[in-house]
Amino acid sequence: MRQPTAGLSLEGLTALDTDGRALPRLAQSWSWENQGRTLRLRLRPGVTFHDGNPLNGSFAASALREAIARPSNRALYSSLTDVAEVKADGDTDVLLNLSQPSAFLPEDLELPLSRGTQTGTGPFKVVKSDTSEVILDRYDKYYLGAPKIERVTIRAFNTLRTAWASLLRGDIDMVTNVPPEAVEFVKNDNVQVASFSRRYQYLIAFNSGGGPLKSAAIRRALNVAIDRDEIIKNVLQGHGAPSTGPLWPQHWAYDSTLQPYGYQPSLASSLLDTVPSRSVRLASIGAPTAKVRFTCLLPASFSVLERLALEVQRQLYNVGVDMQFQV
């Protein structure tokens, strides 16, 4: 429940636009000084934390220092490791002195700021938080205006089926992250389904340090053996788009001129034929001989990942690749 709670109650100095560029949030503007080694942030006026304290230079600097000190934040927002010092410059400005120029720091300043664990500046404030539910009341002094919704309650359910049943009974108003195969079960005249694209990928990461996956030819063969459109159709019920690389297609740095891997099973087979390796027999009787066998690590209790893995296994089997699972 932490993610939706943070989205309603906490804010960062910046926010990310759909194209990955930084937008003003608690900082209304920023500028570079000292040949790119100092970032000056100008704070938005009239912002207060949920405890009534104003967001000024000293409060913002203190909250930012606390956020940067957390190892989890430095892992998620890599530019924070370049910040050597955070200090206030009056009530309206915060200065970030860097150990080296760090062009992507404004984007990483979307990390949520808080006083303590849950006291933020967002439109809702946490009034109750335990393992069963989080209750947030609207923050009447929110700088963009008080929300029209008075209270939001976020509850955890042990199973998706229980959450859907509560939705259909009218006990709750909204369920998030409904798997594509379940949409038809919860859709009726009283339930509106809203779909949208999100910036994450399903992927299989290769360990290229040794074994058969050390070969670039084998890695290329595995890529062209996969029909991504078929995976979207069979596993995601059409809710998805083929992934072409580490950037999502609407990102400002995405290069649409680069050709992604296409589905070419004949090329996959020919590439595998050129790689010298010891052939292995696939498990089923009468199966073709496989020149490549590898093990795929699969997280437990993720049904979507299990179905994705089985579809990939089926497609690779068709070109003579034996992909085993370790859950």
Side-chain angles (χ1 to χ4, degrees), residues 64-82:
L64 188 55
R65 280 194 293 267
E66 181 180 332
I68 292 175
R70 299 187 191 121
S72 59
N73 284 337
R74 293 198 301 274
L76 283 173
Y77 307 100
S78 58
S79 297
L80 299 183
T81 59
D82 298 324

Side-chain angles (χ1 to χ4, degrees), residues 91-247:
D91 285 341
T92 62
D93 287 17
V94 175
L95 297 178
L96 280 69
N97 293 319
L98 311 180
S99 59
Q100 62 180 356
S102 187
F104 293 109
L105 181 59
E107 286 90 332
D108 281 350
L109 292 179
E110 67 155 348
L111 83 161
L113 294 186
S114 63
R115 287 173 47 78
T117 56
Q118 294 180 315
T119 303
T121 61
F124 291 88
K125 59 181 179 181
V126 177
V127 295
K128 177 190 174 184
S129 179
D130 57 34
T131 56
S132 63
E133 67 179 12
V134 177
I135 298 178
L136 304 101
D137 285 348
R138 70 180 177 192
Y139 184 47
D140 292 329
K141 296 181 180 179
Y142 186 54
Y143 61 92
L144 294 179
K148 294 183 179 180
I149 298 174
E150 294 184 4
R151 170 166 285 189
V152 176
T153 302
I154 304 172
R155 292 176 183 156
F157 291 86
N158 291 329
T159 66
L160 287 170
R161 186 178 298 275
T162 307
W164 303 335
S166 298
L167 177 69
L168 296 174
R169 288 195 306 265
D171 296 337
I172 56 178
D173 301 308
M174 177 180 175
V175 174
T176 62
N177 295 338
V178 178
E181 71 275 8
V183 169
E184 294 303 319
F185 294 102
V186 299
K187 190 175 182 180
N188 60 35
D189 293 339
N190 298 319
V191 176
Q192 178 185 358
V193 177
S195 299
F196 57 95
S197 299
R198 299 180 66 185
R199 292 172 289 183
Y200 66 85
Q201 300 168 308
Y202 294 113
L203 59 86
I204 294 178
F206 296 148
N207 176 8
S208 58
L213 300 181
K214 187 176 182 179
S215 165
I218 288 181
R219 297 197 302 270
R220 184 184 177 200
L222 297 179
N223 266 292
V224 298
I226 299 302
D227 187 342
R228 289 157 174 79
D229 291 320
E230 192 73 5
I231 291 178
I232 293 170
K233 175 184 175 182
N234 293 341
V235 180
L236 303 178
Q237 282 70 53
H239 296 279
S243 175
T244 59
L247 295 177

Side-chain angles (χ1 to χ4, degrees), residues 25-28 42-48 55 91-92 143-144:
R25 193 66 177 260
L26 296 179
Q28 64 179 5
R42 177 64 50 87
L43 300 177
R44 184 191 294 267
V47 179
T48 58
L55 177 73
D91 285 341
T92 62
Y143 61 92
L144 294 179

Side-chain angles (χ1 to χ4, degrees), residues 9-31:
S9 61
L10 305 178
E11 297 177 304
L13 291 162
T14 64
L16 283 185
D17 200 356
T18 305
D19 65 358
R21 297 187 184 275
L23 294 174
R25 193 66 177 260
L26 296 179
Q28 64 179 5
S29 63
W30 53 88
S31 59

